[in-house]
Amino acid sequence: MNIPFVSFRPMEQELNSDLRDAFKRVLNNSWYIDGEEDKAFESAFADYCNAEHCVGVGNGLDALMLILKALDIGNGDEVIVPSNTYIATALAVTYVGAKPVFVEPDINTFNIEPTFIEDVITSNTKAIIPVHLYGQACDMDEIKSIAGKHNLKIIEDCAQAHGAIYKGQKVGTFGDAAGFSFYPGKNLGALGDGGAVVTNNKELADKVRALGNYGSDYKYHHIYKGNNSRLDEIQAAFLSVKLQHIERMNVERRRIADMYLEGINNSRIMLPIVNSDCVPVWHVFGIRCGERDDLEEYLNSKGIGTNKHYPIPIHLQECYKDLGVKKGELPVAEEISRTELSIPMFYGMKDDEVKYVIDVINEF
């Protein structure tokens, strides 16, 4: 049996007709930027997140960067980010001239460990970016408490967590603003790049929108030194189609994850632990194994696709040598990078495919 790490085919086959209709609608309207499709999607996605405002942008990295710029965070400032995340989180901080400061994760959930946050707060710290990694929400009560105590902004990185819930509340609404990615592989993915900023602060939303439109509040009037980062009409139309189905698709991901959690029983495999306050959406299902590379080779030889998230932690990447963080200084992030292996997780996986993955892992 051959099972890819991810496949879009089941979803695309189901939605093919609606996606084609959305494309034709945009083409027939001959309007491709800042039109009715974008407005409709922004309104619908804000409602989905139970937020007041949504601003479509070019991608998830831009979403975080524009929030930071809108909050006037820049040169000389520090922003706390998890040491275990995709590099985009740190790059957003770097792009505005601020310094990313890393905090170790909880090795069981892979998310930032709140008890370590206060250790790195300085007079230059301006914000915390909790990342709801792999689709499981961070401990937002603790993070909000710390941020309130030290007067810090909270910018949620929800790139992998569309629809994830913490204590009955959807992620993206706990802080000052949240950044979402609609990269094709996300739970809510475009057919190209896309992103959004979600917030309950109208002034902040308006500033983000202007910053993403060359700093312009109306045509040829520029109040900020902005960027070009907008969600185009075609991607907005595609996303509006997919948004109607995301809840049932997230439910299916949870069902697959439950099969993994209940079925995988191998002393060499460490399963993720779900925070009892969370309802994850399982963008990625990551397991850990001390013999990760051997496990990956074994699974691949059995026709099972895999991925590693992320084999080189950010602080050891060539581009961040300037931060001066040495190997061994962030041991939990390094341990996750050494041992994490992501196994197939996508809408449309058949039960016999899930069971095959389970059986092969149990035989390792």
Short mmCIF file of all heavy atoms in Angstrom, two decimals, residues 229-287:
data_model
loop_
_atom_site.label_atom_id
_atom_site.label_comp_id
_atom_site.label_asym_id
_atom_site.label_seq_id
_atom_site.Cartn_x
_atom_site.Cartn_y
_atom_site.Cartn_z
N SER A 229 0.97 43.69 -0.06
CA SER A 229 0.59 42.37 0.44
C SER A 229 -0.92 42.31 0.57
O SER A 229 -1.50 42.76 1.55
CB SER A 229 1.25 42.10 1.80
OG SER A 229 0.95 40.79 2.24
N ARG A 230 -1.56 41.77 -0.47
CA ARG A 230 -3.01 41.71 -0.50
C ARG A 230 -3.47 40.34 -0.95
O ARG A 230 -2.80 39.68 -1.74
CB ARG A 230 -3.56 42.79 -1.45
CG ARG A 230 -3.18 44.20 -1.04
CD ARG A 230 -3.45 45.22 -2.12
NE ARG A 230 -2.66 44.99 -3.32
CZ ARG A 230 -2.50 45.89 -4.28
NH1 ARG A 230 -3.07 47.08 -4.18
NH2 ARG A 230 -1.78 45.62 -5.35
N LEU A 231 -4.61 39.91 -0.46
CA LEU A 231 -5.21 38.64 -0.88
C LEU A 231 -5.97 38.89 -2.17
O LEU A 231 -6.89 39.72 -2.20
CB LEU A 231 -6.16 38.12 0.21
CG LEU A 231 -6.85 36.79 -0.07
CD1 LEU A 231 -5.83 35.65 -0.13
CD2 LEU A 231 -7.89 36.50 1.01
N ASP A 232 -5.59 38.19 -3.24
CA ASP A 232 -6.24 38.47 -4.53
C ASP A 232 -7.62 37.82 -4.62
O ASP A 232 -7.98 36.93 -3.84
CB ASP A 232 -5.34 38.07 -5.70
CG ASP A 232 -5.17 36.56 -5.82
OD1 ASP A 232 -6.16 35.87 -6.10
OD2 ASP A 232 -4.03 36.08 -5.63
N GLU A 233 -8.39 38.29 -5.57
CA GLU A 233 -9.79 37.88 -5.71
C GLU A 233 -9.95 36.38 -5.98
O GLU A 233 -10.87 35.74 -5.46
CB GLU A 233 -10.44 38.67 -6.85
CG GLU A 233 -10.72 40.12 -6.53
CD GLU A 233 -11.88 40.29 -5.55
OE1 GLU A 233 -13.04 40.25 -5.97
OE2 GLU A 233 -11.60 40.43 -4.35
N ILE A 234 -9.07 35.82 -6.81
CA ILE A 234 -9.21 34.41 -7.15
C ILE A 234 -8.99 33.54 -5.91
O ILE A 234 -9.78 32.63 -5.64
CB ILE A 234 -8.23 34.02 -8.28
CG1 ILE A 234 -8.72 34.61 -9.61
CG2 ILE A 234 -8.10 32.50 -8.40
CD1 ILE A 234 -7.80 34.35 -10.78
N GLN A 235 -7.94 33.84 -5.14
CA GLN A 235 -7.70 33.05 -3.93
C GLN A 235 -8.81 33.26 -2.90
O GLN A 235 -9.21 32.32 -2.20
CB GLN A 235 -6.33 33.38 -3.34
CG GLN A 235 -5.16 33.09 -4.25
CD GLN A 235 -5.13 31.65 -4.75
OE1 GLN A 235 -5.69 30.75 -4.14
NE2 GLN A 235 -4.49 31.43 -5.90
N ALA A 236 -9.31 34.48 -2.78
CA ALA A 236 -10.42 34.74 -1.86
C ALA A 236 -11.66 33.92 -2.25
O ALA A 236 -12.36 33.37 -1.39
CB ALA A 236 -10.75 36.23 -1.84
N ALA A 237 -11.91 33.84 -3.55
CA ALA A 237 -13.07 33.07 -4.02
C ALA A 237 -12.90 31.59 -3.71
O ALA A 237 -13.84 30.92 -3.25
CB ALA A 237 -13.26 33.28 -5.52
N PHE A 238 -11.68 31.06 -3.95
CA PHE A 238 -11.41 29.66 -3.62
C PHE A 238 -11.58 29.42 -2.12
O PHE A 238 -12.15 28.41 -1.68
CB PHE A 238 -10.00 29.28 -4.04
CG PHE A 238 -9.78 29.18 -5.53
CD1 PHE A 238 -8.54 29.46 -6.08
CD2 PHE A 238 -10.81 28.82 -6.38
CE1 PHE A 238 -8.32 29.37 -7.45
CE2 PHE A 238 -10.62 28.73 -7.76
CZ PHE A 238 -9.36 29.01 -8.30
N LEU A 239 -11.05 30.33 -1.32
CA LEU A 239 -11.10 30.18 0.14
C LEU A 239 -12.54 30.23 0.65
O LEU A 239 -12.89 29.53 1.60
CB LEU A 239 -10.26 31.25 0.82
CG LEU A 239 -8.74 31.05 0.68
CD1 LEU A 239 -7.99 32.32 1.06
CD2 LEU A 239 -8.28 29.88 1.57
N SER A 240 -13.39 31.05 0.02
CA SER A 240 -14.79 31.11 0.42
C SER A 240 -15.48 29.76 0.22
O SER A 240 -16.32 29.35 1.03
CB SER A 240 -15.52 32.20 -0.37
OG SER A 240 -15.09 33.48 0.04
N VAL A 241 -15.11 29.07 -0.86
CA VAL A 241 -15.66 27.73 -1.10
C VAL A 241 -15.20 26.78 0.00
O VAL A 241 -16.00 26.06 0.62
CB VAL A 241 -15.22 27.20 -2.48
CG1 VAL A 241 -15.59 25.72 -2.63
CG2 VAL A 241 -15.84 28.02 -3.60
N LYS A 242 -13.91 26.77 0.26
CA LYS A 242 -13.36 25.82 1.23
C LYS A 242 -13.80 26.11 2.66
O LYS A 242 -13.95 25.19 3.47
CB LYS A 242 -11.83 25.83 1.15
CG LYS A 242 -11.29 25.19 -0.12
CD LYS A 242 -9.77 25.03 -0.02
CE LYS A 242 -9.21 24.20 -1.15
NZ LYS A 242 -7.77 23.95 -0.97
N LEU A 243 -14.00 27.40 2.96
CA LEU A 243 -14.41 27.77 4.33
C LEU A 243 -15.73 27.11 4.72
O LEU A 243 -15.94 26.78 5.89
CB LEU A 243 -14.51 29.30 4.43
CG LEU A 243 -14.87 29.87 5.80
CD1 LEU A 243 -13.83 29.48 6.85
CD2 LEU A 243 -15.00 31.39 5.72
N GLN A 244 -16.60 26.90 3.74
CA GLN A 244 -17.89 26.27 4.03
C GLN A 244 -17.75 24.83 4.50
O GLN A 244 -18.69 24.26 5.06
CB GLN A 244 -18.77 26.32 2.78
CG GLN A 244 -19.08 27.71 2.28
CD GLN A 244 -19.84 27.69 0.97
OE1 GLN A 244 -20.89 27.04 0.84
NE2 GLN A 244 -19.32 28.37 -0.04
N HIS A 245 -16.58 24.23 4.27
CA HIS A 245 -16.39 22.80 4.56
C HIS A 245 -15.34 22.54 5.64
O HIS A 245 -15.10 21.38 5.99
CB HIS A 245 -16.00 22.07 3.28
CG HIS A 245 -16.98 22.22 2.16
ND1 HIS A 245 -18.08 21.40 2.02
CD2 HIS A 245 -17.03 23.14 1.15
CE1 HIS A 245 -18.77 21.79 0.95
NE2 HIS A 245 -18.16 22.83 0.41
N ILE A 246 -14.70 23.59 6.16
CA ILE A 246 -13.55 23.37 7.02
C ILE A 246 -13.92 22.64 8.31
O ILE A 246 -13.16 21.80 8.80
CB ILE A 246 -12.82 24.70 7.34
CG1 ILE A 246 -11.52 24.39 8.11
CG2 ILE A 246 -13.70 25.67 8.09
CD1 ILE A 246 -10.63 25.57 8.33
N GLU A 247 -15.10 22.92 8.86
CA GLU A 247 -15.44 22.28 10.14
C GLU A 247 -15.56 20.77 9.99
O GLU A 247 -15.02 20.00 10.80
CB GLU A 247 -16.73 22.87 10.70
CG GLU A 247 -16.52 24.18 11.45
CD GLU A 247 -15.54 24.04 12.60
OE1 GLU A 247 -15.80 23.27 13.54
OE2 GLU A 247 -14.49 24.72 12.56
N ARG A 248 -16.25 20.30 8.97
CA ARG A 248 -16.39 18.85 8.81
C ARG A 248 -15.04 18.21 8.46
O ARG A 248 -14.77 17.07 8.86
CB ARG A 248 -17.45 18.50 7.79
CG ARG A 248 -17.14 18.84 6.35
CD ARG A 248 -18.28 18.42 5.42
NE ARG A 248 -18.00 18.75 4.02
CZ ARG A 248 -17.32 17.98 3.20
NH1 ARG A 248 -16.84 16.82 3.64
NH2 ARG A 248 -17.11 18.35 1.95
N MET A 249 -14.20 18.95 7.76
CA MET A 249 -12.88 18.41 7.42
C MET A 249 -11.98 18.37 8.66
O MET A 249 -11.18 17.43 8.81
CB MET A 249 -12.25 19.23 6.30
CG MET A 249 -12.99 19.04 4.97
SD MET A 249 -12.25 19.92 3.59
CE MET A 249 -13.32 19.36 2.23
N ASN A 250 -12.10 19.35 9.54
CA ASN A 250 -11.37 19.31 10.81
C ASN A 250 -11.85 18.16 11.68
O ASN A 250 -11.05 17.50 12.36
CB ASN A 250 -11.51 20.63 11.56
CG ASN A 250 -10.60 21.72 11.02
OD1 ASN A 250 -9.65 21.45 10.27
ND2 ASN A 250 -10.86 22.96 11.39
N VAL A 251 -13.15 17.91 11.67
CA VAL A 251 -13.69 16.77 12.43
C VAL A 251 -13.08 15.47 11.93
O VAL A 251 -12.72 14.58 12.72
CB VAL A 251 -15.23 16.73 12.31
CG1 VAL A 251 -15.78 15.39 12.82
CG2 VAL A 251 -15.85 17.88 13.10
N GLU A 252 -12.94 15.35 10.61
CA GLU A 252 -12.34 14.13 10.04
C GLU A 252 -10.87 14.00 10.44
O GLU A 252 -10.39 12.90 10.73
CB GLU A 252 -12.50 14.16 8.52
CG GLU A 252 -11.92 12.96 7.80
CD GLU A 252 -12.59 11.64 8.15
OE1 GLU A 252 -13.65 11.66 8.84
OE2 GLU A 252 -12.08 10.58 7.74
N ARG A 253 -10.15 15.11 10.47
CA ARG A 253 -8.77 15.07 10.93
C ARG A 253 -8.68 14.61 12.39
O ARG A 253 -7.79 13.82 12.74
CB ARG A 253 -8.12 16.46 10.79
CG ARG A 253 -7.77 16.84 9.36
CD ARG A 253 -7.25 18.28 9.30
NE ARG A 253 -6.81 18.65 7.97
CZ ARG A 253 -5.58 18.53 7.52
NH1 ARG A 253 -4.63 18.06 8.31
NH2 ARG A 253 -5.26 18.89 6.29
N ARG A 254 -9.59 15.08 13.21
CA ARG A 254 -9.59 14.65 14.61
C ARG A 254 -9.89 13.16 14.72
O ARG A 254 -9.34 12.46 15.58
CB ARG A 254 -10.60 15.48 15.42
CG ARG A 254 -10.11 16.87 15.75
CD ARG A 254 -10.96 17.54 16.81
NE ARG A 254 -12.23 17.99 16.32
CZ ARG A 254 -12.46 19.17 15.78
NH1 ARG A 254 -11.47 20.04 15.64
NH2 ARG A 254 -13.67 19.51 15.37
N ARG A 255 -10.77 12.67 13.87
CA ARG A 255 -11.08 11.24 13.90
C ARG A 255 -9.85 10.41 13.53
O ARG A 255 -9.56 9.39 14.17
CB ARG A 255 -12.24 10.95 12.94
CG ARG A 255 -12.84 9.54 13.08
CD ARG A 255 -13.93 9.31 12.06
NE ARG A 255 -13.37 9.14 10.72
CZ ARG A 255 -12.87 7.97 10.26
NH1 ARG A 255 -12.84 6.90 11.05
NH2 ARG A 255 -12.40 7.89 9.04
N ILE A 256 -9.12 10.85 12.52
CA ILE A 256 -7.90 10.15 12.12
C ILE A 256 -6.87 10.21 13.25
O ILE A 256 -6.23 9.20 13.58
CB ILE A 256 -7.33 10.77 10.83
CG1 ILE A 256 -8.28 10.51 9.65
CG2 ILE A 256 -5.94 10.20 10.52
CD1 ILE A 256 -7.97 11.34 8.42
N ALA A 257 -6.72 11.38 13.85
CA ALA A 257 -5.78 11.54 14.96
C ALA A 257 -6.15 10.63 16.13
O ALA A 257 -5.27 10.02 16.76
CB ALA A 257 -5.74 12.99 15.42
N ASP A 258 -7.44 10.52 16.42
CA ASP A 258 -7.88 9.64 17.51
C ASP A 258 -7.52 8.18 17.21
O ASP A 258 -7.15 7.42 18.11
CB ASP A 258 -9.39 9.77 17.74
CG ASP A 258 -9.77 11.08 18.42
OD1 ASP A 258 -8.87 11.73 19.01
OD2 ASP A 258 -10.96 11.45 18.36
N MET A 259 -7.63 7.79 15.94
CA MET A 259 -7.24 6.43 15.57
C MET A 259 -5.75 6.21 15.82
O MET A 259 -5.35 5.17 16.36
CB MET A 259 -7.57 6.16 14.10
CG MET A 259 -9.06 6.05 13.80
SD MET A 259 -9.41 5.76 12.04
CE MET A 259 -8.77 4.08 11.82
N TYR A 260 -4.94 7.21 15.47
CA TYR A 260 -3.50 7.11 15.73
C TYR A 260 -3.22 7.03 17.24
O TYR A 260 -2.44 6.19 17.70
CB TYR A 260 -2.78 8.33 15.16
CG TYR A 260 -2.53 8.31 13.68
CD1 TYR A 260 -2.49 9.51 12.94
CD2 TYR A 260 -2.27 7.13 12.98
CE1 TYR A 260 -2.24 9.52 11.59
CE2 TYR A 260 -2.02 7.13 11.62
CZ TYR A 260 -2.00 8.33 10.92
OH TYR A 260 -1.73 8.33 9.57
N LEU A 261 -3.85 7.92 17.99
CA LEU A 261 -3.58 8.00 19.43
C LEU A 261 -3.99 6.71 20.15
O LEU A 261 -3.34 6.28 21.10
CB LEU A 261 -4.30 9.20 20.04
CG LEU A 261 -3.75 10.58 19.62
CD1 LEU A 261 -4.70 11.69 20.06
CD2 LEU A 261 -2.36 10.81 20.21
N GLU A 262 -5.07 6.12 19.68
CA GLU A 262 -5.55 4.89 20.31
C GLU A 262 -4.83 3.65 19.78
O GLU A 262 -4.65 2.66 20.51
CB GLU A 262 -7.06 4.75 20.07
CG GLU A 262 -7.89 5.81 20.78
CD GLU A 262 -9.34 5.81 20.32
OE1 GLU A 262 -9.74 4.85 19.60
OE2 GLU A 262 -10.07 6.75 20.66
N GLY A 263 -4.42 3.70 18.51
CA GLY A 263 -3.90 2.49 17.87
C GLY A 263 -2.40 2.31 17.94
O GLY A 263 -1.90 1.17 17.98
N ILE A 264 -1.62 3.41 17.95
CA ILE A 264 -0.16 3.28 17.96
C ILE A 264 0.29 2.87 19.35
O ILE A 264 0.03 3.56 20.34
CB ILE A 264 0.52 4.59 17.52
CG1 ILE A 264 0.15 4.90 16.06
CG2 ILE A 264 2.03 4.50 17.68
CD1 ILE A 264 0.65 6.25 15.57
N ASN A 265 0.95 1.73 19.42
CA ASN A 265 1.39 1.18 20.70
C ASN A 265 2.75 0.53 20.50
O ASN A 265 2.87 -0.66 20.25
CB ASN A 265 0.36 0.17 21.22
CG ASN A 265 0.72 -0.37 22.58
OD1 ASN A 265 1.54 0.21 23.29
ND2 ASN A 265 0.13 -1.49 22.95
N ASN A 266 3.77 1.36 20.61
CA ASN A 266 5.14 0.91 20.41
C ASN A 266 6.01 1.69 21.39
O ASN A 266 6.01 2.93 21.37
CB ASN A 266 5.58 1.18 18.96
CG ASN A 266 6.97 0.66 18.65
OD1 ASN A 266 7.86 0.69 19.49
ND2 ASN A 266 7.18 0.22 17.41
N SER A 267 6.74 1.01 22.22
CA SER A 267 7.52 1.67 23.28
C SER A 267 8.60 2.60 22.72
O SER A 267 9.11 3.46 23.44
CB SER A 267 8.16 0.61 24.18
OG SER A 267 9.05 -0.22 23.44
N ARG A 268 8.92 2.45 21.45
CA ARG A 268 9.95 3.31 20.85
C ARG A 268 9.35 4.60 20.27
O ARG A 268 10.08 5.49 19.83
CB ARG A 268 10.68 2.55 19.74
CG ARG A 268 11.38 1.31 20.27
CD ARG A 268 11.69 0.32 19.17
NE ARG A 268 12.90 0.67 18.43
CZ ARG A 268 13.37 -0.06 17.41
NH1 ARG A 268 12.72 -1.15 17.01
NH2 ARG A 268 14.48 0.30 16.79
N ILE A 269 8.03 4.70 20.29
CA ILE A 269 7.33 5.84 19.70
C ILE A 269 6.71 6.69 20.80
O ILE A 269 6.01 6.17 21.68
CB ILE A 269 6.22 5.38 18.73
CG1 ILE A 269 6.79 4.43 17.67
CG2 ILE A 269 5.53 6.58 18.10
CD1 ILE A 269 7.85 5.05 16.79
N MET A 270 6.95 7.99 20.76
CA MET A 270 6.34 8.94 21.69
C MET A 270 5.26 9.72 20.95
O MET A 270 5.54 10.40 19.96
CB MET A 270 7.40 9.88 22.25
CG MET A 270 8.40 9.18 23.17
SD MET A 270 9.97 10.08 23.37
CE MET A 270 10.87 9.54 21.88
N LEU A 271 4.05 9.61 21.43
CA LEU A 271 2.90 10.27 20.81
C LEU A 271 2.72 11.68 21.37
O LEU A 271 3.09 11.95 22.51
CB LEU A 271 1.62 9.47 21.04
CG LEU A 271 1.58 8.08 20.40
CD1 LEU A 271 0.36 7.31 20.92
CD2 LEU A 271 1.53 8.20 18.89
N PRO A 272 2.13 12.58 20.59
CA PRO A 272 1.82 13.91 21.13
C PRO A 272 0.77 13.79 22.22
O PRO A 272 -0.07 12.89 22.19
CB PRO A 272 1.29 14.67 19.91
CG PRO A 272 0.77 13.61 19.00
CD PRO A 272 1.67 12.43 19.20
N ILE A 273 0.83 14.70 23.17
CA ILE A 273 -0.15 14.74 24.26
C ILE A 273 -1.07 15.92 24.02
O ILE A 273 -0.61 17.04 23.78
CB ILE A 273 0.54 14.84 25.62
CG1 ILE A 273 1.30 13.53 25.91
CG2 ILE A 273 -0.47 15.13 26.73
CD1 ILE A 273 2.09 13.54 27.19
N VAL A 274 -2.36 15.68 24.09
CA VAL A 274 -3.35 16.73 23.84
C VAL A 274 -3.70 17.40 25.16
O VAL A 274 -4.12 16.74 26.11
CB VAL A 274 -4.62 16.16 23.18
CG1 VAL A 274 -5.64 17.26 22.95
CG2 VAL A 274 -4.26 15.48 21.86
N ASN A 275 -3.55 18.72 25.20
CA ASN A 275 -3.97 19.50 26.36
C ASN A 275 -5.48 19.35 26.52
O ASN A 275 -6.24 19.54 25.57
CB ASN A 275 -3.59 20.97 26.13
CG ASN A 275 -3.87 21.85 27.34
OD1 ASN A 275 -4.81 21.64 28.07
ND2 ASN A 275 -3.03 22.86 27.51
N SER A 276 -5.92 19.03 27.71
CA SER A 276 -7.34 18.78 27.96
C SER A 276 -8.21 20.01 27.72
O SER A 276 -9.43 19.90 27.55
CB SER A 276 -7.55 18.26 29.38
OG SER A 276 -7.10 19.21 30.33
N ASP A 277 -7.59 21.20 27.70
CA ASP A 277 -8.34 22.43 27.45
C ASP A 277 -8.48 22.73 25.95
O ASP A 277 -9.10 23.72 25.58
CB ASP A 277 -7.64 23.62 28.12
CG ASP A 277 -7.70 23.57 29.63
OD1 ASP A 277 -8.74 23.13 30.16
OD2 ASP A 277 -6.71 23.95 30.28
N CYS A 278 -7.90 21.88 25.12
CA CYS A 278 -7.82 22.17 23.68
C CYS A 278 -8.63 21.20 22.83
O CYS A 278 -8.79 20.03 23.19
CB CYS A 278 -6.36 22.10 23.21
SG CYS A 278 -5.27 23.26 24.05
N VAL A 279 -9.11 21.72 21.72
CA VAL A 279 -9.66 20.89 20.65
C VAL A 279 -8.77 21.15 19.44
O VAL A 279 -8.92 22.16 18.76
CB VAL A 279 -11.12 21.24 20.34
CG1 VAL A 279 -11.66 20.34 19.22
CG2 VAL A 279 -12.00 21.12 21.58
N PRO A 280 -7.81 20.26 19.17
CA PRO A 280 -6.87 20.50 18.06
C PRO A 280 -7.52 20.28 16.70
O PRO A 280 -8.58 19.65 16.59
CB PRO A 280 -5.77 19.45 18.29
CG PRO A 280 -6.05 18.84 19.64
CD PRO A 280 -7.51 19.03 19.89
N VAL A 281 -6.85 20.79 15.67
CA VAL A 281 -7.33 20.55 14.31
C VAL A 281 -6.33 19.74 13.50
O VAL A 281 -6.54 19.47 12.32
CB VAL A 281 -7.66 21.88 13.58
CG1 VAL A 281 -8.86 22.55 14.23
CG2 VAL A 281 -6.46 22.80 13.53
N TRP A 282 -5.20 19.37 14.10
CA TRP A 282 -4.25 18.41 13.53
C TRP A 282 -3.83 18.76 12.10
O TRP A 282 -3.98 17.95 11.19
CB TRP A 282 -4.82 17.00 13.59
CG TRP A 282 -5.08 16.53 14.98
CD1 TRP A 282 -6.30 16.36 15.57
CD2 TRP A 282 -4.10 16.19 15.98
NE1 TRP A 282 -6.14 15.95 16.88
CE2 TRP A 282 -4.79 15.83 17.16
CE3 TRP A 282 -2.70 16.17 15.99
CZ2 TRP A 282 -4.15 15.44 18.32
CZ3 TRP A 282 -2.05 15.79 17.15
CH2 TRP A 282 -2.78 15.43 18.31
N HIS A 283 -3.27 19.94 11.93
CA HIS A 283 -2.63 20.26 10.65
C HIS A 283 -1.51 19.26 10.38
O HIS A 283 -1.32 18.82 9.23
CB HIS A 283 -2.06 21.69 10.69
CG HIS A 283 -1.18 22.01 9.53
ND1 HIS A 283 -1.62 21.96 8.23
CD2 HIS A 283 0.14 22.36 9.46
CE1 HIS A 283 -0.64 22.29 7.42
NE2 HIS A 283 0.45 22.52 8.13
N VAL A 284 -0.79 18.89 11.42
CA VAL A 284 0.29 17.90 11.34
C VAL A 284 0.11 16.93 12.50
O VAL A 284 -0.29 17.33 13.60
CB VAL A 284 1.67 18.59 11.43
CG1 VAL A 284 2.78 17.59 11.76
CG2 VAL A 284 2.00 19.33 10.14
N PHE A 285 0.38 15.65 12.26
CA PHE A 285 0.42 14.68 13.34
C PHE A 285 1.87 14.24 13.49
O PHE A 285 2.39 13.47 12.69
CB PHE A 285 -0.48 13.47 13.08
CG PHE A 285 -0.69 12.61 14.30
CD1 PHE A 285 -1.79 12.82 15.13
CD2 PHE A 285 0.24 11.63 14.66
CE1 PHE A 285 -1.97 12.05 16.28
CE2 PHE A 285 0.06 10.87 15.80
CZ PHE A 285 -1.05 11.08 16.61
N GLY A 286 2.53 14.81 14.50
CA GLY A 286 3.95 14.54 14.70
C GLY A 286 4.18 13.58 15.86
O GLY A 286 3.67 13.78 16.95
N ILE A 287 4.93 12.53 15.60
CA ILE A 287 5.35 11.60 16.64
C ILE A 287 6.85 11.82 16.87
O ILE A 287 7.52 12.52 16.10
CB ILE A 287 5.07 10.13 16.25
CG1 ILE A 287 5.83 9.75 14.96
CG2 ILE A 287 3.57 9.92 16.07
CD1 ILE A 287 5.64 8.30 14.53
#
